[in-house]
Amino acid sequence: MDGDRVEIDGGVMEGGGQILRVSTALSCLLGLPLRVRRIRAGRSQPGLRPQHLSGLEMIRDLCDGQLDGGEIGSTEITFTPGKIKGGTHIADTKTAGSVCLLLQVAMPCVLFAASPSELRLKGGTNAEMAPQIDYTVLVGNSFFDLLNLSGAKVTCLLLGYYPQGGGEVIVRMSPVKQLSPINLTERGTVTKIHGRAFVAGALPIKLAKDMASAAVRCIRKEIGDLYVNIQPVREPDNQAFGTGSGIIIVAETSTGCLFAGSSLGKRGKNSDRVGIEAAEMLLGNLRHGGAVDDYLQDQLIIFMALANGVSRVKSGPITLHTQTAVHFAEQLTKAKFTVTKSEDEDSTKDTYFIECQGMGMINSSL
């Protein structure tokens, strides 16, 4: 602590942008002044990139806070939060930086605003090293149901790809008084597998068909008794900025759990390979027997920490992103997490329970 400023080392554990997202969101929510040093020290290009900076600026603006050190390449920032307000908030990475990662930092904050919010997020909708927008719309809207957030909705207006970005997503949310605990422990059985393989801009539809076929063949080897419906699509020119391709596949279960696998095409990458990568990611998420996939696992941590009561989530192996989120959530909120290996499974499965006694954050504006 420096005076009352919480000190965060941005180079430990995952060592990337996630530390910044979790710590600044919690700083904003809890009114804790923050200093983050060694930002993204674990990355080949350390310091703030455009998407991190636009996320920080959005958090600063939505709580009338003060941000120092906010420039591209900066490895240290200080942030002093104010009061979270509703209304329209805009963040534009001006690059292909992920809009889905912008949503991750802003969403917990606007839930505790004084009035409803609309987030307008601009950048890459389908970016490397981040959830795809298709995933965020589908799993995100189901996630809102999980948190009992009536009226919350993610809508994609314009798709944007690497390297230009140019996509735009709108998220509307109403504030809550308190978050209920999350209970995701019943996996159920897989009832449906569906998805879409897409091309946009100058790419031929044949690429989408090849991605879809390769993915279906890969899934059928392991799950032969279920119809796998992956639609090849060309994104309409007026709804996509630039050229891109990729695939997302989602499995739904009898208890409403969603698991996903996705992959993006790029120059020189065989379209069969793209389809197989997404299929293998989905199958990996289905093998472990948990009730959440690897993408959602770490995104739940901040909500579990803020919730009122005990949250319990059954997952596959604990990812480094999740370990990092737990570390900083505990440091800042005083919520208590425990992770235990599940004993009730057949021993071949690598399944864990993440449990959290939340801090019971209350929205004092409501």
Side-chain angles (χ1 to χ4, degrees):
M1 293 271 190
D2 156 28
D4 289 331
R5 206 173 277 285
V6 180
E7 296 281 341
I8 297 290
D9 182 347
V12 299
M13 302 181 80
E14 180 266 342
Q18 188 210 17
I19 296 173
L20 205 58
R21 288 191 290 278
V22 171
S23 57
T24 47
L26 288 172
S27 158
C28 174
L29 283 158
L30 301 169
L32 291 170
L34 193 69
R35 174 182 281 113
V36 187
R37 302 179 195 269
R38 298 205 315 136
I39 291 170
R40 297 181 68 252
R43 296 293 181 263
S44 56
Q45 219 177 349
L48 294 176
R49 306 300 307 139
Q51 74 182 35
H52 308 108
L53 182 55
S54 47
L56 284 172
E57 289 170 343
M58 178 168 56
I59 295 295
R60 175 198 65 196
D61 296 346
L62 66 79
C63 73
D64 285 331
Q66 190 185 339
L67 174 67
D68 294 304
E71 52 260 349
I72 302 294
S74 168
T75 56
E76 182 174 324
I77 57 121
T78 59
F79 176 62
T80 309
K83 187 174 167 55
I84 304 173
K85 54 183 200 254
T88 300
H89 305 290
I90 298 169
D92 186 354
T93 66
K94 300 184 175 60
T95 65
S98 169
V99 294
C100 302
L101 295 179
L102 290 175
L103 174 58
Q104 278 183 27
V105 68
M107 186 171 136
C109 301
V110 295
L111 283 177
F112 290 89
S115 58
S117 303
E118 178 178 281
L119 304 174
R120 290 187 161 258
L121 310 174
K122 301 177 183 182
T125 55
N126 299 76
E128 292 277 1
M129 308 296 290
Q132 308 303 311
I133 188 60
D134 314 68
Y135 178 88
T136 300
V137 168
L138 191 72
V139 179
N141 285 329
S142 140
F143 177 52
F144 294 155
D145 293 342
L146 173 73
L147 292 174
N148 296 323
L149 306 180
S150 53
K153 189 161 172 51
V154 185
T155 311
C156 184
L157 297 187
L158 190 63
L159 296 156
Y161 308 105
Y162 182 82
Q164 307 103 315
E168 184 173 0
V169 171
I170 290 188
V171 186
R172 294 188 177 94
M173 307 196 83
S174 296
V176 295
K177 181 73 182 170
Q178 247 188 345
L179 282 174
S180 308
I182 294 169
N183 193 2
L184 267 177
T185 55
E186 297 301 324
R187 154 70 173 272
T189 54
V190 178
T191 54
K192 193 171 164 189
I193 297 178
H194 56 96
R196 59 200 301 273
F198 64 86
V199 291
L203 298 175
I205 187 73
K206 180 182 183 314
L207 289 182
K209 291 176 178 168
D210 290 348
M211 287 188 281
S213 302
V216 169
R217 283 195 303 273
C218 181
I219 293 168
R220 287 243 171 89
K221 285 182 194 157
E222 201 155 319
I223 303 174
D225 55 349
L226 214 55
Y227 176 60
V228 180
N229 179 16
I230 303 175
Q231 296 287 334
V233 291
R234 158 171 288 292
E235 306 290 12
D237 287 343
N238 63 344
Q239 288 171 29
F241 185 85
T243 294
S245 66
I247 180 171
I248 172 140
I249 319 165
V250 174
E252 298 185 23
T253 77
S254 53
T255 56
C257 296
L258 296 175
F259 299 84
S262 65
S263 183
L264 289 176
K266 56 183 175 194
R267 194 185 294 271
K269 187 172 173 184
N270 177 305
S271 47
D272 279 22
R273 180 78 238 138
V274 181
I276 290 165
E277 266 179 17
E280 285 179 342
M281 183 190 287
L282 174 68
L283 292 169
N285 274 317
L286 290 175
R287 280 183 206 118
H288 58 57
V292 297
D293 65 18
D294 290 352
Y295 271 142
L296 191 57
Q297 190 190 98
D298 68 283
Q299 291 176 50
L300 291 173
I301 297 301
I302 192 168
F303 298 100
M304 293 169 77
L306 295 168
N308 180 34
V310 176
S311 293
R312 202 155 181 259
V313 172
K314 189 178 187 182
S315 78
I318 308 299
T319 65
L320 182 57
H321 269 96
T322 297
Q323 293 170 36
T324 306
V326 166
H327 175 82
F328 289 102
E330 286 194 327
Q331 182 183 340
L332 291 163
T333 66
K334 306 299 178 260
K336 279 313 297 164
F337 283 84
T338 52
V339 176
T340 48
K341 189 144 174 30
S342 167
E343 301 300 338
D344 60 352
E345 293 292 323
D346 88 48
S347 56
T348 59
K349 287 201 161 54
D350 208 6
T351 318
Y352 296 81
F353 284 106
I354 307 170
E355 203 165 272
C356 175
Q357 175 65 57
M359 66 168 286
M361 174 91 183
I362 290 175
N363 188 340
S364 55
S365 304
L366 293 187

